[in-house]
Amino acid sequence: MTDKVKHKSKHIKLTSHPGSGSKPIPINWGASDPTTRGPIIATLTEPEHRNVIGTHSGSYAVYRALAIAAKALDPQHVPDLTNTAPTDPIGPFPSWHDPEKIVSLDPYGAIVQDVFAEYLKKGYDIRPTIAVTKAHIDMPEIVDAIEAGRIKIDGKIVKNKREVPVTKAATEPVWYLPGVAKRFGCTESELRRTLFEQTGGMFPELVTRGDLDVFLPPIGGQTVYMFGDPAKLSDPSTTLTARVHDECNGSDVFGSDICTCRPYLAHAIEECIRGAQAGGVGLIVYFRKEGRALGEVTKFLVYNARKRQEGGDSAAQYFARTECVAGVQDMRFQELMPDVLHWLGVKRIHRLVSMSNMKYDAIVRAGIEVGERVRIPDELIPADARVEMDAKMAAGYFTPDVVPTKDELAKPKGRSLEE
């Protein structure tokens, strides 16, 4: 961009307490009518309209700030949302109106132009937090499966070796703080204070604006890939094959063989395609939780610590080295994970492509039935990832024959051993 834009910024006041101006539109989380629920207004063009803590785009808000500081972006820019509506309708479902079923995303986030049209006409800057589109995926593992005869080209679910149509959705996190606190078994005030302290005081409204219940945290959301007809996801009589996958850039993108992440993801996609071809539907939910939500720097430090320990990398020390470096084995806590399944109206997963007890427990605890649990075939486990798999199995990572009690499912889990 060669021409620099002129700034017309409306500065945010440093005081965090409610001002003397008009009160923001209230948010009645879980209300059955969207106008009663109220829109999520996190934009900065009209600060007095804001009714949440934080802002849109999660961690990308920092890049937006850089663009404004570099005078490449007008801070007053309002998106033109013409023709951006979802390619496929999702919902509404009864779960959208249950304040305990969905607490970490806005179920109306993809259809703000429709349900909040009157507010938009009045000049409120309301932006989508979910987008739904169509695309094709092209993966070498799927090409291999087609050439091996495990997947057939049918012209619909699989157009050719390099084209598998999908409907996909991207979501941004929108946290209803009272509900999030309840999921984690803490008080709302404790959650607010800890979020404020552990972000270096980045969001003072967390502790000064008790009137605001909704927070848009600066973290990544998730991407949803749907194989077959998305409308079938909410039909419990239609066989649903699904995997909930946590980000692993090294394996998922670059094919690192130290873990089973990409092989398991590719295997799940193959299972989803076959399920859709058999008249069912497939679902992959990809969460941005790199390195067990510890981050990639910590992840690589742990790799070094494990491989340099006396005797080399071992299953016995696999999780211990992570805890030595990070202070915790895993921070991907799955309490919020089922929300996206509720957004999609999922009531039953017939085939869950996962060996994680933590994911299984969280899904069942959320009231979603799970049938078969599909493990990764041994031949897909890279040699260098055998230590990881042995460590997880020894830690009780996959116990498909053990059905948790109601009391066990009701307890929030403090840490997890996940793929």
Side-chain angles (χ1 to χ4, degrees), residues 325-340:
V325 175
V328 64
Q329 291 182 7
D330 196 323
M331 292 199 306
R332 283 175 298 175
F333 313 111
Q334 301 296 342
E335 276 72 18
L336 303 179
M337 174 268 288
D339 288 22
V340 67

Side-chain angles (χ1 to χ4, degrees), residues 393-404:
M393 297 301 285
Y397 161 76
F398 180 57
T399 50
D401 298 326
V402 177
V403 179

Side-chain angles (χ1 to χ4, degrees), residues 377-400:
D378 286 341
E379 64 268 21
L380 295 183
I381 301 174
D384 202 28
R386 177 52 64 181
V387 168
E388 173 206 46
M389 188 56 67
D390 290 345
K392 290 177 177 178
M393 297 301 285
Y397 161 76
F398 180 57
T399 50

Side-chain angles (χ1 to χ4, degrees), residues 226-255:
M226 295 162 263
F227 300 81
D229 184 359
K232 294 181 178 180
L233 287 168
S234 60
D235 180 1
S237 67
T238 299
T239 299
L240 170 58
T241 302
R243 174 170 175 77
V244 177
H245 186 91
D246 290 328
E247 177 183 28
C248 178
N249 183 63
S251 178
D252 296 342
V253 179
F254 294 101

Side-chain angles (χ1 to χ4, degrees), residues 99-130:
E100 295 191 0
K101 293 273 189 197
I102 299 177
V103 301
S104 63
L105 58 82
D106 177 11
Y108 298 103
I111 53 174
V112 296
Q113 293 166 268
D114 295 330
V115 296
F116 300 123
E118 291 302 313
Y119 287 110
L120 289 166
K121 288 178 184 177
K122 293 176 183 178
Y124 285 92
D125 184 4
I126 304 167
R127 305 190 184 188
T129 56
I130 301 176

Side-chain angles (χ1 to χ4, degrees), residues 80-335:
D80 178 356
L81 299 176
T82 304
N83 293 327
T84 62
T87 57
D88 293 80
I90 304 290
F93 300 108
S95 51
W96 290 22
H97 311 138
D98 186 333
E100 295 191 0
K101 293 273 189 197
I102 299 177
V103 301
S104 63
L105 58 82
D106 177 11
Y108 298 103
I111 53 174
V112 296
Q113 293 166 268
D114 295 330
V115 296
F116 300 123
E118 291 302 313
Y119 287 110
L120 289 166
K121 288 178 184 177
K122 293 176 183 178
Y124 285 92
D125 184 4
I126 304 167
R127 305 190 184 188
T129 56
I130 301 176
V132 183
T133 189
K134 286 189 177 296
H136 294 86
I137 63 169
D138 177 2
M139 294 179 64
E141 291 92 341
I142 301 306
V143 173
D144 292 343
I146 292 171
E147 291 179 345
R150 297 195 304 273
I151 293 177
K152 305 296 183 184
I153 296 174
D154 59 9
K156 183 179 179 181
I157 303 299
V158 179
K159 289 188 174 180
N160 57 58
K161 288 196 295 187
R162 308 302 297 269
E163 284 187 282
V164 178
V166 293
T167 300
K168 63 179 183 179
T171 78
E172 292 180 1
V174 178
W175 287 6
Y176 175 58
L177 292 171
V180 172
K182 186 173 182 179
R183 290 273 182 95
F184 282 91
C186 64
T187 65
E188 183 185 347
S189 60
E190 184 180 8
L191 174 66
R192 285 174 174 266
R193 186 184 69 253
T194 305
L195 287 169
F196 169 71
E197 292 173 348
Q198 295 303 312
T199 57
M202 186 182 294
F203 300 100
E205 294 88 354
L206 285 166
V207 292
T208 62
R209 292 294 302 270
D211 59 315
L212 300 181
D213 289 334
V214 177
F215 175 44
L216 274 60
I219 60 174
Q222 57 257 343
T223 310
V224 179
Y225 287 81
M226 295 162 263
F227 300 81
D229 184 359
K232 294 181 178 180
L233 287 168
S234 60
D235 180 1
S237 67
T238 299
T239 299
L240 170 58
T241 302
R243 174 170 175 77
V244 177
H245 186 91
D246 290 328
E247 177 183 28
C248 178
N249 183 63
S251 178
D252 296 342
V253 179
F254 294 101
S256 170
D257 64 353
I258 199 171
C259 62
T260 59
C261 295
R262 182 180 173 103
Y264 217 153
L265 177 61
H267 175 60
I269 291 172
E270 181 178 335
E271 293 288 336
C272 285
I273 292 170
R274 284 205 297 267
Q277 288 185 319
V281 64
L283 175 67
I284 300 290
V285 183
Y286 193 92
F287 281 84
R288 305 307 298 269
K289 296 178 181 176
E290 178 61 61
R292 301 187 207 154
L294 300 169
E296 209 164 26
V297 169
T298 296
K299 183 179 184 177
F300 289 3
L301 293 174
V302 172
Y303 284 168
N304 287 345
R306 279 177 24 213
K307 290 182 176 294
R308 287 172 176 165
Q309 64 192 354
E310 185 177 352
D313 204 0
S314 69
Q317 291 297 310
Y318 183 85
F319 293 110
R321 296 309 299 148
T322 302
E323 196 159 359
C324 286
V325 175
V328 64
Q329 291 182 7
D330 196 323
M331 292 199 306
R332 283 175 298 175
F333 313 111
Q334 301 296 342
E335 276 72 18

